[in-house]
Amino acid sequence: MMLSSYPFYLANKPVHANKELAVLNKYSNEVATYVAIASTQDIDKAIGAADNAKHAIRALPAYKRQTILQHCITRFKKRFE
């Protein structure tokens, strides 16, 4: 079951933006849900958060980074369709 709207995530926190994009059902062409749209300020914050996280990621052993990336790949494949 779909929610009426979905946030985007910024530094692991959901953000319900002031601007939303309607997502249409491809069969009925009706609005199925809305997704939040990031502003340029949100994108700048995301870049800053990623830059701040690089030190923590670098400190992880390679096998832990590999486990994290493998988890991402598995999730992406499940959501591919």
Side-chain angles (χ1 to χ4, degrees):
M1 182 162 149
M2 293 188 80
L3 299 175
S4 60
S5 67
Y6 289 87
F8 63 84
Y9 283 79
L10 177 59
N12 208 31
K13 294 185 175 123
V15 177
H16 294 275
N18 291 332
K19 218 171 172 189
E20 293 183 320
L21 173 69
V23 178
L24 302 179
N25 178 312
K26 67 180 179 180
Y27 300 108
S28 67
N29 214 28
E30 294 177 359
V31 174
T33 190
Y34 294 90
V35 294
I37 298 176
S39 67
T40 54
Q41 293 85 7
D42 295 323
I43 294 169
D44 288 340
K45 288 179 188 175
I47 292 169
D51 187 54
N52 292 338
K54 72 183 174 191
H55 302 294
I57 294 296
R58 283 184 185 156
L60 289 174
Y63 74 93
K64 286 190 178 181
R65 290 194 305 268
Q66 180 185 12
T67 300
I68 292 167
L69 292 172
Q70 200 60 48
H71 172 77
C72 292
I73 291 168
T74 301
R75 295 292 302 269
F76 295 152
K77 285 181 178 179
K78 284 183 182 177
R79 298 181 67 176
F80 181 75
E81 291 297 322

